[in-house]
């Protein structure tokens, strides 16, 4: 049991005075479990389909299948809940890019309808296939940075 009359034990006021003078050794604070992680680097790592924590390990093990954990830093990734978010964002972006481009091409060059449909169908599919895994990585990285769903 602590005896307040023991002179060998420092008083709380003495510790606070030493801290105020800077005599006590400065220890860096451990990152708290609720502190936010940097968002921009995490999103860029996710866009590159890399682990949002280390940026070195692959995030996906197939075209859209997220790994259970990072093989480099062992960060658990199974918590992610991307669901329909990447597909929705892909459709949103492809639609807003390709629709004005199709209108511009039709008004400027007046191609045959079958040629226009073929070119823009291939373009929409290619852009969708390019964007979908990158947007999934960015959404998983966003969830990781904001500590959503158990990250």
């Amino acid at each position: 049991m602590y005896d307040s009359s023991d002179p060998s034990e420092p008083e709380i006021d003495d510790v606070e005075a030493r801290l105020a003078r800077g005599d006590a050794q400065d220890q860096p604070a451990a990152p708290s479990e609720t502190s936010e992680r940097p968002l921009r680097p995490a999103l860029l790592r996710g866009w590159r389909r890399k682990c949002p924590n280390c940026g070195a390990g692959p995030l996906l093990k197939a075209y859209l299948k997220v790994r259970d954990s990072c093989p480099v830093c062992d960060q658990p990734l199974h918590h992610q809940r991307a669901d329909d978010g990447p597909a929705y964002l892909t459709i949103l972006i492809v639609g807003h890019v390709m629709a004005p481009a199709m209108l511009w091409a039709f008004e400027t060059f007046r191609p045959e309808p079958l040629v226009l449909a073929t070119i823009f169908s291939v373009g929409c599919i290619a852009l969708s296939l390019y964007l979908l895994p990158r947007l999934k990585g960015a959404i998983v990285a966003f969830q990781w940075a904001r500590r959503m769903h158990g990250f």
Side-chain angles (χ1 to χ4, degrees):
M1 188 158 172
Y2 178 70
D3 183 14
S4 63
S5 63
D6 185 10
S8 65
E9 293 292 325
E11 293 291 325
I12 293 176
D13 293 336
D14 293 339
V15 174
E16 289 175 354
R18 283 190 294 142
L19 283 172
R21 287 192 313 261
D23 293 345
Q25 184 180 11
D26 292 333
Q27 302 250 343
S32 81
E33 290 296 319
T34 59
S35 66
E36 285 190 16
R37 297 169 175 151
L39 181 62
R40 179 171 277 176
L43 288 176
L44 291 174
R45 290 172 182 161
W47 178 262
R48 291 189 332 250
R49 296 165 296 161
K50 300 292 182 184
C51 171
N53 186 36
C54 66
L59 181 66
L60 306 173
K61 65 181 172 185
Y63 180 66
L64 290 177
K65 180 73 174 160
V66 178
R67 293 180 180 275
D68 288 334
S69 65
C70 176
V72 176
C73 69
D74 217 27
Q75 169 72 41
L77 300 169
H78 65 276
H79 303 294
Q80 63 87 21
R81 294 273 183 221
D83 299 332
D84 292 336
Y88 176 78
L89 289 175
T90 299
I91 291 169
L92 186 74
I93 292 170
V94 170
H96 280 86
V97 168
M98 296 305 267
M102 188 180 333
L103 180 64
W104 173 80
F106 180 75
E107 291 292 324
T108 304
F109 302 111
R110 295 286 181 181
E112 292 292 322
L114 190 57
V115 172
L116 185 72
T118 302
I119 290 172
F120 279 94
S121 294
V122 171
C124 287
I125 291 169
L127 188 57
S128 296
L129 290 174
Y130 175 79
L131 287 176
L132 195 56
R134 285 157 180 81
L135 289 172
K136 181 154 188 169
I139 288 177
V140 170
F142 180 82
Q143 292 174 357
W144 175 84
R146 295 294 186 230
R147 297 183 185 273
M148 297 168 70
H149 311 297
F151 273 114

